[in-house]
Amino acid sequence: MHNEQHVTSSETIRDIVIGMSDGLTVPFALAAGLSGAISSSGIVVTAGIAEIVAGSIAMGLGGFLAGRTEVDHYQSELKREYDEVERVPEQEKIEVMEVFADFGLSAPLQQQIADEMSKDKKKWVDFMMRYELGLEEPHANRATKSAITIGLSYIIGGIIPLSPYLIESNSQIALYYSCGITLICLFIFGYFKSKMTGQPAFSGAFKVVIIGALAAGAAFMMAKLINGK
Amino acid sequence: MHNEQHVTSSETIRDIVIGMSDGLTVPFALAAGLSGAISSSGIVVTAGIAEIVAGSIAMGLGGFLAGRTEVDHYQSELKREYDEVERVPEQEKIEVMEVFADFGLSAPLQQQIADEMSKDKKKWVDFMMRYELGLEEPHANRATKSAITIGLSYIIGGIIPLSPYLIESNSQIALYYSCGITLICLFIFGYFKSKMTGQPAFSGAFKVVIIGALAAGAAFMMAKLINGK
């Protein structure tokens, strides 16, 4: 029960990280790029919001379908393993033995393990799923929750870099504020993300800031280049 | 050797799928959204290319850093397991036994497995990494290759929906061509993606098309709404 809780919350954090890191970065860089070519904040805001809508749906629905696919895949493999355990138990026992042969256990011990494991079909299949196929049982209603979490995190992340353009009508001036706010948010976000995934927090935060700055700088220069300014 | 090859190519396919599915969807939806508010293809192209640059850098560098983090994490956990096996071997043996207790093996058999496994430290640590911590050894130079593959796939995917806007100066007309080309490409892409991941090919292709269409439709309506048209 405790373990279950742990898995769920760490998956939610992973979804927030996925959504927010792209949400902070891509709309920020798009707005910066457009500011290099267009002086009206109105167009930057329209493009930015269109991007946030598109990105949140693509990522959210993408996450939902990936989750559903994972559940389907697990169920079909589970069914196949149960069939095989019924139909070709000796073959399946050999597969159990092979897992342990890889870890240098002796043949008699491999045989003993396979014999003992085959007494409980549920646990036997469970073993095959995890250690032969490397599949963990996915949470059935994770997909919907995951979609909403990723989508919302993308929207929240995306609104931050756009907010200065909503207030300041000159896009070149709004760009300065957007850079300031977004790079600070990327730093804070990168710091907590690194802390939570057990990475060095400051270097992790700098990496996130550098990706954002590079993406924005490249988009800015490219947009200037296209418009010959 | 054969297995190694298999892993590498399936990871490359996974990277292409990650990059291309977002590359086809988000720039397509952004361009569609802007077409709902702005009649000049020039601005749509500028925004689209800024988005492709930003998205490919964010996804590519994101992929690169995720890969590097994975390698670092594996190495630090590996070092810790080697330390523990030296320092508290009896505790580590109990951890091996716990793995097998979960699969219903008897206590004497658990003990025998732990005793035999502890004779070869490399294999013992290898077992703990995979079956206690659930970590697979990542390929050291995967990160760079992954970054390039994801980034390039995003660019290729993104150029497809933008191409009509490069030729046709009226964005509303270009939008029709962009929808046609992109939805066909999304279908083809979804079909092969589903085939390669062992999912039903036609329903998988439809899902991909629906995500793209929904994202584009929502972005189009939102942009129209903002501009009060």
Side-chain angles (χ1 to χ4, degrees), chain B residues 42-62:
Chain B
I43 292 172
V44 176
V45 168
T46 304
I49 289 177
E51 209 285 335
I52 292 172
V53 169
S56 61
I57 290 176
M59 289 195 81
L61 262 181

Side-chain angles (χ1 to χ4, degrees), chain A residues 76-228:
Chain A
S76 77
E77 289 294 326
L78 188 70
K79 195 177 163 300
R80 203 172 72 179
E81 282 298 329
Y82 269 112
D83 285 353
E84 285 178 2
V85 158
E86 288 296 337
R87 210 162 36 79
V88 284
E90 291 309 316
Q91 177 58 39
E92 292 300 293
K93 274 192 190 178
I94 290 168
E95 289 179 13
V96 171
M97 290 169 69
E98 280 167 358
V99 169
F100 295 105
D102 284 348
F103 291 103
L105 297 189
S106 63
L109 190 53
Q110 292 168 30
Q111 186 68 57
Q112 241 183 302
I113 296 169
D115 287 343
E116 223 181 82
M117 200 173 279
S118 65
K119 285 176 196 156
D120 183 336
K121 276 192 185 128
K122 203 198 155 298
K123 287 189 171 164
W124 188 11
V125 166
D126 199 25
F127 178 85
M128 302 300 280
M129 292 298 287
R130 268 163 70 179
Y131 297 145
E132 190 208 5
L133 301 174
L135 295 174
E136 294 274 346
E137 187 173 2
H139 302 264
N141 58 1
R142 270 264 317 144
T144 312
K145 206 185 147 209
S146 180
I148 295 168
T149 309
I150 292 177
L152 278 183
S153 304
Y154 192 90
I155 293 169
I156 293 165
I159 286 169
I160 293 168
L162 273 195
S163 51
Y165 298 93
L166 291 166
I167 300 159
E168 168 58 53
S169 65
N170 182 319
S171 69
Q172 263 89 8
I173 297 169
L175 174 60
Y176 290 115
Y177 293 108
S178 180
C179 285
I181 295 167
T182 310
L183 295 178
I184 290 167
C185 287
L186 281 170
F187 189 89
I188 295 167
F189 168 76
Y191 183 87
F192 284 106
K193 174 190 155 186
S194 306
K195 275 254 163 186
M196 276 184 284
T197 53
Q199 300 302 311
F202 273 102
S203 70
F206 275 114
K207 278 180 197 166
V208 170
V209 170
I210 285 166
I211 294 178
L214 271 179
F220 183 85
M221 293 212 284
M222 193 55 139
K224 261 207 181 320
L225 210 70
I226 296 167
N227 284 265

Side-chain angles (χ1 to χ4, degrees), chain B residues 7-23 59-60 63-64 141-154 189:
Chain B
V7 168
T8 309
S9 73
S10 80
E11 284 180 341
T12 303
I13 288 170
R14 199 201 56 182
D15 288 341
I16 292 172
V17 165
I18 291 172
M20 198 164 279
S21 72
D22 273 20
M59 289 195 81
F64 175 74
N141 57 2
R142 271 264 317 144
T144 312
K145 205 183 148 211
S146 179
I148 295 168
T149 309
I150 293 176
L152 278 183
S153 305
Y154 192 90
F189 167 77

Side-chain angles (χ1 to χ4, degrees), chain B residues 66-103:
Chain B
R68 283 287 297 271
T69 302
E70 209 186 316
V71 171
D72 290 349
H73 182 59
Y74 187 87
Q75 292 303 333
S76 77
E77 289 295 325
L78 189 69
K79 195 178 162 300
R80 203 172 72 178
E81 282 299 328
Y82 269 112
D83 285 353
E84 285 178 1
V85 158
E86 289 295 338
R87 212 162 35 81
V88 283
E90 290 310 315
Q91 176 58 37
E92 291 302 293
K93 274 193 189 179
I94 290 168
E95 288 179 14
V96 171
M97 290 170 69
E98 280 167 357
V99 169
F100 295 105
D102 284 348
F103 292 102

Side-chain angles (χ1 to χ4, degrees), chain B residues 80-212:
Chain B
R80 203 172 72 178
E81 282 299 328
Y82 269 112
D83 285 353
E84 285 178 1
V85 158
E86 289 295 338
R87 212 162 35 81
V88 283
E90 290 310 315
Q91 176 58 37
E92 291 302 293
K93 274 193 189 179
I94 290 168
E95 288 179 14
V96 171
M97 290 170 69
E98 280 167 357
V99 169
F100 295 105
D102 284 348
F103 292 102
L105 297 189
S106 63
L109 190 53
Q110 292 169 28
Q111 185 69 56
Q112 241 183 303
I113 296 169
D115 287 342
E116 223 181 86
M117 199 173 279
S118 65
K119 285 178 196 155
D120 183 337
K121 277 195 183 124
K122 201 197 156 299
K123 287 188 170 164
W124 188 10
V125 167
D126 198 26
F127 178 85
M128 301 301 281
M129 292 299 288
R130 269 165 68 181
Y131 297 146
E132 190 208 4
L133 302 175
L135 295 174
E136 295 275 346
E137 188 173 1
H139 302 265
N141 57 2
R142 271 264 317 144
T144 312
K145 205 183 148 211
S146 179
I148 295 168
T149 309
I150 293 176
L152 278 183
S153 305
Y154 192 90
I155 292 169
I156 293 166
I159 286 170
I160 293 168
L162 272 196
S163 52
Y165 298 93
L166 291 166
I167 300 159
E168 169 56 54
S169 65
N170 183 320
S171 70
Q172 263 89 7
I173 297 169
L175 174 61
Y176 290 115
Y177 293 107
S178 180
C179 285
I181 295 169
T182 310
L183 295 177
I184 291 168
C185 286
L186 280 169
F187 189 88
I188 296 168
F189 167 77
Y191 183 87
F192 284 105
K193 174 189 154 185
S194 306
K195 274 252 163 189
M196 277 183 285
T197 53
Q199 300 302 311
F202 274 102
S203 72
F206 275 114
K207 278 179 197 168
V208 170
V209 169
I210 285 166
I211 294 179

